[in-house]
Amino acid sequence: MVILIQCKDRVGLVADIAGVIAKLGINIVAMKEHVDTLENRFFVRIVVDGVLEAMPIWTDLKAILPEGAEIAVNPSTQKKVIVLVTKEYHCLGDILIRNHFKTLGAEVQCVIGNHPTLQDVCKRFDIPFHFVPHENKEKDVFESEVVTVIEKYKTDYLVLAKYMRILSPSFVEKFAHRIINIHHSFLPAFIGASPYRQAFERGVKLIGATAHFVTNDLDEGPIIAQQIIPVNHSFTASDMVRSGKEIETAVLAKALQLVFEERVLIWKNKTVIFE
Amino acid sequence: MVILIQCKDRVGLVADIAGVIAKLGINIVAMKEHVDTLENRFFVRIVVDGVLEAMPIWTDLKAILPEGAEIAVNPSTQKKVIVLVTKEYHCLGDILIRNHFKTLGAEVQCVIGNHPTLQDVCKRFDIPFHFVPHENKEKDVFESEVVTVIEKYKTDYLVLAKYMRILSPSFVEKFAHRIINIHHSFLPAFIGASPYRQAFERGVKLIGATAHFVTNDLDEGPIIAQQIIPVNHSFTASDMVRSGKEIETAVLAKALQLVFEERVLIWKNKTVIFE
Amino acid sequence: MVILIQCKDRVGLVADIAGVIAKLGINIVAMKEHVDTLENRFFVRIVVDGVLEAMPIWTDLKAILPEGAEIAVNPSTQKKVIVLVTKEYHCLGDILIRNHFKTLGAEVQCVIGNHPTLQDVCKRFDIPFHFVPHENKEKDVFESEVVTVIEKYKTDYLVLAKYMRILSPSFVEKFAHRIINIHHSFLPAFIGASPYRQAFERGVKLIGATAHFVTNDLDEGPIIAQQIIPVNHSFTASDMVRSGKEIETAVLAKALQLVFEERVLIWKNKTVIFE
Amino acid sequence: MVILIQCKDRVGLVADIAGVIAKLGINIVAMKEHVDTLENRFFVRIVVDGVLEAMPIWTDLKAILPEGAEIAVNPSTQKKVIVLVTKEYHCLGDILIRNHFKTLGAEVQCVIGNHPTLQDVCKRFDIPFHFVPHENKEKDVFESEVVTVIEKYKTDYLVLAKYMRILSPSFVEKFAHRIINIHHSFLPAFIGASPYRQAFERGVKLIGATAHFVTNDLDEGPIIAQQIIPVNHSFTASDMVRSGKEIETAVLAKALQLVFEERVLIWKNKTVIFE
């Protein structure tokens, strides 16, 4: 079982938290702690042996922690996720395969697409696909249709797997810290549209991808994972797109693993990741 | 011996070039060719056996190549370089060690510093150090003093090894395509000052460095090499600076090796690199 | 179109080859050449504009090349491949997704499994699955059954995507240089069974995977691609297996791309790879 | 200040340890804990604010920890090291530069060489160089001469920076867990002599280096750090040596940083590394 805590820092926090756990007679298998001294903020991830009743621990911890502490006692149930897509298959394909063979670390409840392109591959894996076109609709109408689909499910995370629509602030707020996006560049380089075209024109020797939580500032949310892949002068812009897809797939898979394993804490615009 | 050629593309270029070489009865050991089809530009790097008279080949090649062809027949003499520094030692230290043990692939003629900080380490390796302070001077006066030092030597390249002064257009033009800089970021992210502070605040998971030729557009010249190093939430801004220095040292070393081995061709704002 | 040539080296080869191509009035878009001076062996990969009749070029090249030259003029038709599997899904899943979306660079004709485990996922993608169990059979009987299936197809390559049977010399010989395997270690470390267990016990900080052509010496064929992934003390042996699967998938995908794009030449026990 | 502890695992250890620290009124800034469940072994690294008297903490911790616990309370004094070399300069050069500019994280007391080759570069940095030739000597005589030099200093670690003599069991035992070696391969591949020659002949696509503690089993001690660098068919055996030197330098630097920052714990033949 995994326990995540973040709160204001003070002397003796680790002792108090570990004391609560020791009193329950359970063993700490792994523990990683971090204090952001500039922010005076304490973060910890604790893995304990066995499965416990989450509620009592939560209450006991709450009692000894500073006011405003965020405590997550992961009851070891699998996360549930909805994947949003447009036309590109590479991230979705990887997620569907892992989901099908039960190694995603979460369960894909459905896929929502603003194009019908990826309906077929979802059907092959018996995953419901909801086609919600955006064309000829006001943004708020379109988004409320998407929300209607999402609300049919009780979901933990929305995964934007190359979903090419910009979400409105109200949509993002509704799912705060629960939307994960894969951005096709090594943020903050090449923010915005056509990053591979930009990268090609700049003649870079590496291209990257960034998985991040979505906030209202486009491309500006807390970064979960970043990786790069080398390119060279012989790459056309479309070769860069192809390489980019490889790295996008890998980075999103990595980020999802980190999130689903309860390794990611968010504070302001940054993440603390206990790998 | 290495032959570098770039010119307008046309059918039969490789045959004609290889024909010139075959007529001389010498063997091509390695050959890499690239055509930029968008630019209709042909690039080739040819390694041939043995040492030849450069001039006759150059003339024979000139005769069969399109007008405006750039031909470099590397006469296998070692490049000569001048290193410009400010206060940071890491890139210079690496260069001096390699130079001392004759593995730099070039000869360091002297070091020019706008601070006296690195004079001592140069002296330890018997490398002349010229202290040219910039303080209380007009930029053109300062730069002309630097140029005066440079002109004492017959040099091939200027290496900016953490040289923290922005060069004027007239200085850059004087040494066009001959100034190599190490930039403390994964360009084009974090252009400008304090990139590590920017990276820290953005919460990135990788930081990078970029070695590039200097042009008048600051941070915008043709990129030679880029690499990244992972960082995480436990890094303070100064930890990022420290990691950044490691990667800066490595990237500059790599870029210098590529340039000194005649593997880099420049066309407009990009490089073709035959590794 | 891609032309691959390997032969004994001699002076003037590039000129003669390029001459043949120039005479046909076609343009060389990219050319990479390598001479193994220890072996006195010449290798070249040439990309030319447009689609040509393969046969005339082949004949013209044959005429000017040393005896025994191997010439492949790729007629731009897609490769056809058969995938062999046992129980593990990760490499097959990646191949099926790419194949389904036409980005594999080859066409999967069928999958052969010595266990029925992966039949279902093949069916979902409409790929024929042949279940050829090995149990209670002599090796030669089993292999002849596999060969019978293979021979129903006209195939270019056999891909061993975590196929856990050791092939006999006669099988390997029948498909010489046409069998690609993914080996679960950074060869030549941890040769043989249970490499992740071995890696765990040795306490390594990186684990790797190797894609190679299969020869009679188990784990000893020409290497096509290798990559590594970092691990640490917190990894159990089964965590290493999981990380290993990620890297196996990535390395096999990379190797297949190189082979299908005609970038790999084999000489003795090594490959020349023109990336 | 850094506290390192390893001992048999039991319930409540973290609480007890954190309790000792909390009682002293000091803050835990970072804490990483690991339990090796197969070995039932507990490891922790704790960074606390400020500088403390080491002794009282040590005594208080000893009192609450299981018998046999290993406790290191790092009194924040810099480590002292002796570097052993033969002829190759690359690792030593890097160490000397960092030492000179006070960024090594330790102080180089002297260098011992069995060849005089590197005496000059040590002298340039005012580092004592002891030339202890091995020729025409029994191994035990030679080693006792080396020990005599070492014992002149009160040293924390011996760094074998491309020291090409195999140490005897009695020598190793005398400095158990205090000798760090850089091995010129990705252990356990290419154990023994001429690994680059072996790598060249095997046609690998990556070469690696391994920094490890030295034990009596040659090349078999606990691994601290490993990294790789890509190579290809165009690399001669001596090109591989050159690339190998780059990666050896980088890996040794990384390992030394980890050790000097008190991030490495040894248990049996493995390391726990709290990065």
Side-chain angles (χ1 to χ4, degrees), chain A residues 1-266:
Chain A
M1 202 167 79
V2 175
I3 301 166
L4 293 179
I5 299 168
Q6 64 165 296
C7 59
K8 229 162 55 120
D9 193 30
R10 66 157 168 78
V11 171
L13 266 182
V14 173
D16 292 350
I17 293 167
V20 165
I21 292 166
K23 232 177 23 192
L24 293 164
I26 51 178
N27 200 19
I28 295 177
V29 174
M31 175 165 181
K32 289 189 178 169
E33 187 247 26
H34 171 65
V35 173
D36 186 328
T37 49
L38 293 179
E39 298 279 335
N40 194 37
R41 189 92 186 159
F42 171 91
F43 305 84
V44 72
R45 178 181 188 264
I46 305 168
V47 183
V48 297
D49 260 350
V51 180
L52 303 161
E53 292 289 319
M55 210 49 216
I57 300 187
W58 193 91
T59 312
D60 290 1
L61 287 171
K62 195 75 185 173
I64 55 109
L65 290 172
E67 212 184 303
E70 298 174 24
I71 309 165
V73 182
N74 174 11
S76 294
T77 55
Q78 212 176 27
K79 299 284 176 295
K80 292 181 190 310
V81 301
I82 292 175
V83 185
L84 283 82
V85 300
T86 297
K87 291 178 179 173
E88 288 174 86
Y89 79 87
H90 54 287
C91 289
L92 178 65
D94 183 65
I95 289 170
L96 289 178
I97 285 280
R98 291 175 196 261
N99 183 65
H100 184 72
F101 288 97
K102 315 268 182 236
T103 57
L104 181 64
E107 181 200 331
V108 176
Q109 298 172 292
C110 74
V111 174
I112 299 172
N114 62 321
H115 282 268
T117 317
L118 298 171
Q119 178 147 29
D120 170 69
V121 72
C122 291
K123 200 173 158 195
R124 288 173 187 269
F125 286 108
D126 307 321
I127 299 295
F129 180 91
H130 302 276
F131 173 39
V132 184
H134 65 281
E135 277 160 8
N136 307 315
K137 279 178 201 160
E138 295 294 323
K139 192 182 195 82
D140 60 342
V141 174
F142 166 63
E143 286 193 349
S144 76
E145 291 179 20
V146 174
V147 169
T148 301
V149 174
I150 293 169
E151 288 182 342
K152 283 187 201 151
Y153 301 85
K154 200 173 142 39
T155 202
D156 294 301
Y157 290 103
L158 304 180
V159 178
L160 310 188
K162 303 298 292 173
Y163 181 67
M164 306 308 276
R165 308 298 302 166
I166 294 172
L167 301 169
S168 71
S170 66
F171 186 101
V172 170
E173 202 175 337
K174 199 185 295 288
F175 303 98
H177 290 187
R178 292 167 53 205
I179 312 176
I180 298 159
N181 184 44
I182 179 69
H183 185 85
H184 44 183
S185 95
F186 178 58
L187 288 175
F190 307 126
I191 285 180
S194 300
Y196 296 120
R197 164 63 50 184
Q198 290 181 60
F200 172 75
E201 281 168 6
R202 183 63 188 87
V204 294
K205 301 302 183 188
L206 304 173
I207 56 174
T210 303
H212 63 101
F213 289 105
V214 176
T215 57
N216 284 333
D217 293 316
L218 182 64
D219 302 343
E220 291 292 341
I223 292 171
I224 307 166
Q226 298 188 293
Q227 289 177 27
I228 55 88
I229 194 169
V231 295
N232 63 49
H233 63 268
S234 75
F235 283 60
T236 62
S238 72
D239 290 335
M240 287 197 180
V241 170
R242 189 173 72 160
S243 285
K245 287 177 179 176
E246 300 288 334
I247 201 72
E248 287 167 9
T249 307
V251 173
L252 182 57
K254 175 75 181 169
L256 293 181
Q257 185 197 320
L258 292 169
V259 171
F260 297 158
E261 291 180 4
E262 307 270 2
R263 295 177 181 279
V264 184
L265 290 145
I266 302 173

Side-chain angles (χ1 to χ4, degrees), chain B residues 7 34 37 56 115 123 131 134 151 163 218 225:
Chain B
C7 59
H34 171 65
T37 48
H115 283 267
K123 200 173 157 194
F131 174 39
H134 66 280
E151 289 181 342
Y163 180 68
L218 182 63

